[in-house]
């Protein structure tokens, strides 16, 4: 360019009034500089942790690490906060190998680099080892449409087992405010009030699992996580899983992003609304489940109606008050289906998967 | 990417659409109509484009424009 352009006036940071603002916070539209961003980002997560009394001193905590931006930022920030505020936590990385070629093998390489960068122990549990099925095999048999249904059930159990193996009873995940608002929207649109109430909890414990889950990023915007990873030059992996995400979640996500474009605070507003929703205690449901005791499977994936009696899955030995656990239930259907495919050589896979999805919905895990 | 003098970021989006994006599926990930799809973070020389006038930002020589999607992955 021949003529020198007059540079735009710099916008000063609204917090320190000193440095150049580099971003606008979606939460409150504040324009802030990089240093102030790091500070408010980390401090808000610290406050969330303290307000929810999330950790106990000396606790061993596993970070569910996928190599993606959310869990990479989570590992980085928890390490920083653990040192800065002396939480006294022992942090380890826990990764799931779903067995998705071209996706998970690359992202696991990222997690292995993170292990060195953050100096944490890394434990990898694979679906293939636990269930004798990799996601690629499941998709080949059941079709791509219900991949996330299988994957979600198996992941929950795989995380539990990985944590238990390490003697850990607390797994933190990188779910952020956008994810949570998206889930609230989804449950709202489906009229799934039971899930709706639970979906905004920062900490979840269930009778069917010895491991509690928490979401320190509950109030953290996706945009800020991405910017934090970008400015801090964190090493993360950003390729999408080759199997399409659940269709309805995708729809809710687009809806949320469109809402956010008009009104950025809507993400936190949706979470706050979700927190205010409390269901009337359901007397009727108790009666129904008492009758249907043998087949009742609760929403949290547990099948415990009598918390004092705890059995194990007869196939895999995992905690379950049903004859078989949720993962084995799914895989059993798949094995029957695989046999059918082999015999008929036809295209029954998709129909079989759809049927299993319907059965699952009827069971309302 | 080479741009003519005096063009704004919007012109860049359209030029990317016309020259770099090959399939309608890819286009859908990037643009909605003629605007950037909500959920994509745009940085102009590492600064949030919301502070730089967004689509009306006047491009300058050697500007670095970064697009990051928040829609995928986790
Ligand atoms: S997108 Fe679905 S199949 Fe892929 S890793 Fe996530 S849950 Fe599993
Ligand atoms: Zn500042
Ligand atoms: Zn089992």
């Amino acid at each position: 360019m021949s003529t020198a352009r007059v540079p735009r006036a710099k916008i000063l940071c609204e917090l320190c009034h000193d440095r150049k603002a580099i971003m606008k916070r979606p939460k409150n539209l504040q324009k802030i500089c990089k240093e102030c961003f790091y500070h408010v980002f980390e401090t808000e997560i610290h406050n969330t942790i303290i307000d929810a009394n999330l950790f106990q001193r000396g606790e061993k905590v596993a970070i569910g690490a996928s190599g993606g931006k959310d869990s990479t930022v989570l590992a980085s920030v928890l390490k920083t906060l653990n040192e800065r505020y002396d939480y006294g936590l022992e942090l380890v990385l826990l990764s799931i190998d779903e067995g998705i070629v071209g996706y998970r093998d690359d992202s696991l390489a990222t997690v292995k680099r993170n292990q060195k960068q953050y100096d944490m122990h890394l434990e990898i549990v694979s679906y293939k080892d636990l269930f004798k099925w990799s996601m690629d095999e499941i998709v080949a048999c059941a079709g791509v449409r219900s991949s996330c249904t299988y994957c979600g059930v198996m992941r929950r159990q795989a995380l539990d087992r990985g944590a238990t193996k390490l003697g850990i009873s607390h797994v933190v995940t990188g779910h952020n405010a956008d994810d949570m608002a998206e889930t609230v929207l989804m449950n709202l649109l489906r009229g799934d009030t039971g899930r709706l109430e639970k979906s905004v909890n920062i900490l979840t414990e269930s009778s069917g699992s010895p491991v509690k889950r928490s979401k320190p990023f509950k109030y953290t915007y996706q945009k800020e996580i991405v910017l934090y990873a970008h400015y801090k030059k964190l090493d993360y992996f950003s390729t999408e899983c080759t199997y399409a995400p659940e269709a309805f979640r995708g729809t809710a996500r687009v809806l949320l992003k469109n809402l956010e474009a008009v009104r950025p605070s809507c993400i936190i507003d949706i979470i706050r609304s979700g927190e205010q929703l409390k269901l009337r205690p359901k007397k009727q449901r108790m009666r129904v489940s008492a009758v249907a005791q043998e087949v009742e499977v609760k929403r949290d994936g547990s099948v415990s109606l009598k918390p004092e009696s705890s059995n194990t899955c007869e196939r895999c030995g995992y905690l379950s008050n049903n004859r078989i656990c949720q993962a084995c239930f799914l895989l059993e259907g798949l094995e029957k289906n695989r046999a059918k495919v082999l015999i008929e050589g036809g295209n029954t896979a998709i129909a079989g998967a759809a049927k299993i999805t319907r059965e699952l919905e009827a069971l309302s895990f | 990417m080479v741009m003519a003098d005096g063009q704004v970021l919007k012109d860049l989006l359209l030029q990317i659409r016309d020259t770099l994006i090959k399939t309608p599926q890819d286009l859908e990930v990037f643009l909605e109509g003629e605007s950037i799809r909500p959920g994509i973070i745009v940085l102009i020389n590492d600064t949030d484009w919301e502070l730089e006038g967004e689509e009306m930002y006047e491009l300058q020589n050697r500007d670095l424009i970064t697009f990051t999607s928040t829609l995928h992955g986790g």
Side-chain angles (χ1 to χ4, degrees):
Chain A
M1 222 175 310
S2 49
T3 50
R5 216 175 275 271
V6 185
R8 271 170 182 275
K10 277 199 292 187
I11 300 173
L12 279 186
C13 169
E14 290 175 13
L15 288 176
C16 64
H17 306 286
D18 180 25
R19 291 173 292 255
K20 177 183 179 292
I22 46 99
M23 69 168 294
K24 192 157 138 192
R25 299 197 75 191
K27 196 173 278 192
N28 53 16
L29 307 183
Q30 219 167 33
K31 304 177 180 96
I32 56 176
C33 72
K34 203 181 279 186
E35 283 74 9
C36 290
F37 168 55
Y38 294 154
H39 180 74
V40 294
F41 182 87
E42 291 159 2
T43 306
E44 284 179 5
I45 293 160
H46 170 66
N47 292 340
T48 302
I49 289 170
I50 297 303
D51 290 346
N53 196 15
L54 220 51
F55 301 128
Q56 314 305 316
R57 237 196 129 63
E59 198 176 1
K60 217 173 156 187
V61 175
I63 301 167
S66 68
K69 23 187 187 276
D70 296 312
S71 59
T72 304
V73 172
L74 183 61
S76 167
V77 169
L78 282 186
K79 184 179 168 66
T80 302
L81 295 178
N82 191 32
E83 284 162 9
R84 181 180 302 158
Y85 297 103
D86 191 25
Y87 293 163
L89 299 179
E90 185 184 335
L91 298 167
V92 305
L93 299 170
L94 177 56
S95 289
I96 307 295
D97 183 357
E98 294 94 345
I100 302 174
V101 171
Y103 164 64
R104 196 44 102 209
D105 34 3
D106 291 350
S107 61
L108 283 176
T110 310
V111 180
K112 284 174 189 157
R113 289 196 304 276
N114 290 158
Q115 170 189 21
K116 296 209 182 70
Q117 289 151 359
Y118 303 135
D119 188 25
M120 294 176 191
H121 173 79
L122 167 65
E123 184 75 24
I124 300 175
V125 278
S126 89
Y127 286 0
K128 184 77 180 170
D129 290 347
L130 283 184
F131 307 105
K132 303 191 177 57
W133 284 83
S134 70
M135 269 316 287
D136 284 340
E137 289 164 350
I138 289 174
V139 169
C141 189
V144 77
R145 274 185 51 219
S146 46
S147 57
C148 300
T149 307
Y150 288 92
C151 200
V153 169
M154 290 161 78
R155 173 175 300 111
R156 194 159 45 195
Q157 198 184 113
L159 279 174
D160 270 13
R161 291 185 158 207
T164 308
K165 187 176 161 199
L166 297 170
I168 292 176
S169 58
H170 191 167
V171 174
V172 290
T173 56
H175 290 101
N176 58 49
D178 296 48
D179 298 327
M180 193 172 264
E182 193 177 290
T183 307
V184 171
L185 269 185
M186 247 169 65
N187 291 329
L188 193 69
L189 296 174
R190 280 179 178 149
D192 193 341
T193 46
R195 280 211 183 111
L196 182 60
E197 204 182 6
K198 286 206 187 96
S199 59
V200 289
N201 292 344
I202 187 165
L203 182 78
T204 47
E205 289 174 89
S206 84
S207 52
S209 164
V211 181
K212 58 185 177 184
R213 303 292 162 81
S214 70
K215 301 170 180 158
F217 283 169
K218 175 182 177 184
Y219 297 117
T220 309
Y221 272 67
Q222 175 83 70
K223 174 179 172 180
E224 298 199 349
I225 292 172
V226 171
L227 288 176
Y228 190 88
H230 175 82
Y231 290 134
K232 288 262 181 181
K233 300 192 171 55
L234 300 185
D235 184 4
Y236 67 85
F237 179 78
S238 55
T239 300
E240 176 81 325
C241 168
T242 33
Y243 305 127
E246 209 184 326
F248 195 60
R249 178 170 287 278
T251 311
R253 183 171 300 180
V254 171
L255 172 61
L256 184 70
K257 285 292 146 190
N258 286 324
L259 289 171
E260 187 193 9
V262 184
R263 181 184 155 87
S265 69
C266 81
I267 289 179
I268 291 292
D269 297 338
I270 289 171
I271 297 175
R272 298 275 183 215
S273 303
E275 289 170 344
Q276 297 307 314
L277 287 170
K278 285 277 164 284
L279 295 181
R280 257 180 288 123
K282 269 196 186 166
K283 290 197 188 87
Q284 203 197 343
R285 200 167 70 189
M286 296 300 288
R287 272 209 308 275
V288 170
S289 37
V291 173
Q293 199 156 2
E294 276 165 65
V295 289
E296 170 76 3
V297 182
K298 283 189 186 168
R299 289 178 194 286
D300 59 7
S302 74
V303 284
S304 164
L305 289 168
K306 297 167 285 176
E308 68 275 13
S309 75
S310 112
N311 297 321
T312 50
C313 168
E314 66 179 38
R315 290 192 44 168
C316 72
Y318 182 71
L319 270 186
S320 166
N321 269 18
N322 254 357
R323 188 177 61 79
I324 57 170
C325 74
Q326 205 179 345
C328 290
F329 169 80
L330 273 175
L331 293 174
E332 200 167 69
L334 202 59
E335 271 150 25
K336 280 182 203 146
N337 189 46
R338 176 157 66 179
K340 201 154 89 189
V341 174
L342 286 176
I343 294 163
E344 297 175 4
N347 193 14
T348 49
I350 303 291
K355 184 166 164 284
I356 285 178
T357 308
R358 271 202 311 280
E359 282 171 12
L360 265 181
E361 276 167 4
L363 281 170
S364 73
F365 284 116
Chain B
M1 186 164 268
V2 184
M3 302 288 297
D5 258 15
Q7 291 202 296
V8 293
L9 204 130
K10 175 104 190 170
D11 300 311
L12 174 69
L13 296 182
L14 299 181
Q15 191 165 326
I16 291 174
R17 177 192 69 184
D18 296 336
T19 61
L20 287 181
I21 297 183
K22 295 188 179 68
T23 69
Q25 292 94 304
D26 286 352
L27 182 63
E28 208 179 276
V29 176
F30 183 59
L31 293 184
E32 185 179 75
E34 291 204 333
S35 299
I36 207 88
R37 174 162 285 287
I40 293 182
I41 298 174
V42 185
L43 296 178
I44 301 169
N45 302 318
D46 249 9
T47 294
D48 193 346
W49 78 327
E50 291 183 40
L51 301 181
E52 300 279 1
E54 304 192 2
E55 289 186 342
M56 295 318 292
Y57 172 80
E58 248 185 80
L59 294 168
Q60 307 182 36
N61 208 6
R62 307 196 61 80
D63 272 348
L64 176 67
I65 317 286
T66 325
F67 302 95
T68 311
S69 175
T70 62
L71 289 172
H72 303 293

